[in-house]
């Protein structure tokens, strides 16, 4: 599963910097595997995610690593 670091997070939308050097990925609270993690996420937290096959530049199934 790809990993990255949260670059931005405002409790509803954020951005992930992919460890593999890919593009910065957008995600929303609806993309979290556990939405109750939303309030606990902080900039710099490590996460795992999947690439959204339907929307380029978007991450899904995001969870703290």
């Amino acid at each position: 599963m790809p990993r990255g670091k949260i670059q931005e997070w405002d409790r509803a939308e954020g951005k992930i910097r992919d460890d593999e050097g890919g593009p910065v990925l957008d995600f929303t609270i609806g993309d979290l595997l556990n939405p109750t993690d939303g309030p606990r996420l902080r900039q710099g937290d490590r996460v795992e995610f999947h690439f959204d096959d339907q929307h380029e530049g978007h991450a899904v199934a995001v969870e703290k690593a």
Side-chain angles (χ1 to χ4, degrees):
M1 180 178 288
R3 289 181 175 225
K5 204 180 271 191
I6 294 181
Q7 186 175 352
E8 296 176 27
W9 178 245
D10 70 6
R11 298 184 189 243
E13 298 179 333
K15 297 188 181 292
I16 299 171
R17 167 111 14 227
D18 183 359
D19 284 350
E20 298 297 317
V24 173
L25 303 166
D26 296 318
F27 74 104
T28 67
I29 196 164
D31 297 312
L32 298 176
L33 280 180
N34 184 357
T36 61
D37 283 344
R40 293 187 292 240
L41 288 177
R42 302 282 182 260
Q43 184 176 345
D45 282 353
R46 310 253 329 123
V47 292
E48 295 180 336
F49 59 92
H50 289 280
F51 294 98
D52 186 342
D53 293 333
Q54 306 260 328
H55 301 94
E56 188 174 335
H58 194 88
V60 294
V62 178
E63 65 181 331
K64 285 186 89 164

